[in-house]
């Protein structure tokens, strides 16, 4: 598959926008007025691409279980790049690495953000960044095709921070 120069530039711009968003988001969530702590992206890798046709098939198959999906399907018009992101943050006063997915429409322009916080999970292998093909995560990844940047974070204790105990319902960390 031949990648055009314009496609490479758009891909780099989208990645730069993702990294910038995460840095701004992490900084804005701080509650204290002490010296600023910037979250730093440790690594990222493209882990999946959802072509528009795959998005359309996925949403059509989901219609019986998720009525109204046809209205979302009508809004989909982009292929989607899915990235696994590992970033530094703080937890209980210590620096840790956390992870998640960032799903980006393959198109130029600016897009609104859609943040999906998954439900209760007890299996490390079921974290969003570990289980890309889970039906609920796939549906959320597909939302990027409708013109959203979709973020799906792993909870602390999953993904890159799997060595930590997940602090179920710990207000400050969730």
């Amino acid at each position: 598959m031949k990648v055009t120069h314009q496609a490479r530039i758009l891909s780099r711009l989208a990645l730069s926008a993702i990294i910038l968003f995460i840095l701004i988001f992490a900084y804005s969530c701080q509650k204290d007025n002490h010296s600023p702590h910037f979250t730093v992206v440790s690594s990222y890798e493209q882990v999946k691409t959802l072509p528009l046709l795959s998005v359309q098939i996925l949403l059509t198959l989901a219609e019986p279980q998720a009525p109204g999906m046809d209205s979302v399907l009508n809004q989909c018009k982009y292929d989607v790049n899915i990235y696994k992101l590992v970033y530094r943050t703080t937890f209980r006063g210590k620096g840790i690495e956390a992870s998640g997915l960032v799903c980006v429409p393959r198109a130029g322009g600016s897009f609104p953000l859609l943040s999906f916080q998954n439900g209760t999970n007890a299996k490390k292998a079921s974290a969003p960044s570990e289980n890309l093909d889970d039906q609920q995560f796939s549906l959320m990844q597909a939302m990027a095709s409708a013109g959203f940047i979709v973020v799906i974070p792993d909870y602390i204790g999953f993904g890159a921070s799997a060595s930590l105990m997940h602090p179920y319902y710990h207000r400050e960390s969730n």
Side-chain angles (χ1 to χ4, degrees):
M1 183 167 109
K2 186 175 179 181
V3 178
T4 67
H5 179 67
Q6 183 181 14
R8 280 190 295 249
I9 290 172
L10 288 174
S11 177
R12 288 180 185 149
L13 285 172
L15 220 45
S16 297
I18 292 167
I19 292 169
L20 179 62
F21 166 76
I22 289 172
L23 291 172
I24 291 169
F25 179 75
Y27 180 71
S28 69
C29 288
Q30 294 201 3
K31 294 182 180 180
D32 64 358
N33 292 328
H34 304 302
S35 62
H37 170 76
F38 292 95
T39 301
V40 178
V41 174
S42 300
S43 65
Y44 63 88
E45 68 173 306
Q46 185 173 345
V47 292
K48 187 175 175 182
T49 297
L50 276 177
L52 178 57
L53 181 59
S54 295
V55 168
Q56 293 167 333
I57 291 169
L58 176 69
L59 296 179
T60 300
L61 292 174
E63 175 66 30
Q65 295 177 337
M69 198 57 72
D70 57 336
S71 63
V72 174
L73 181 59
N74 293 334
Q75 302 299 312
C76 294
K77 54 186 170 188
Y78 306 111
D79 293 343
V80 178
N81 286 336
I82 301 166
Y83 299 89
K84 178 178 180 178
L85 215 64
V86 177
Y87 59 95
R88 300 237 4 115
T89 189
T90 56
F91 175 65
R92 296 187 175 160
K94 295 181 181 177
I96 65 164
E97 285 194 327
S99 54
L101 298 177
V102 179
C103 312
V104 183
R106 289 186 67 182
S110 60
F111 299 99
L113 176 74
L114 178 69
S115 178
F116 178 73
Q117 309 304 307
N118 67 83
T120 302
N121 178 21
K123 294 181 181 178
K124 306 264 185 193
S126 295
S129 69
E130 301 295 326
N131 192 10
L132 298 172
D133 296 322
D134 177 273
Q135 184 178 4
Q136 81 172 334
F137 302 146
S138 293
L139 289 173
M140 294 312 300
Q141 294 164 13
M143 294 300 107
S145 181
F148 294 93
I149 295 175
V150 179
V151 293
I152 311 170
D154 296 330
Y155 288 123
I156 301 297
F158 294 88
S161 64
S163 62
L164 299 171
M165 178 66 74
H166 174 56
Y168 187 75
Y169 274 53
H170 181 253
R171 181 179 177 189
E172 288 77 23
S173 63
N174 282 318

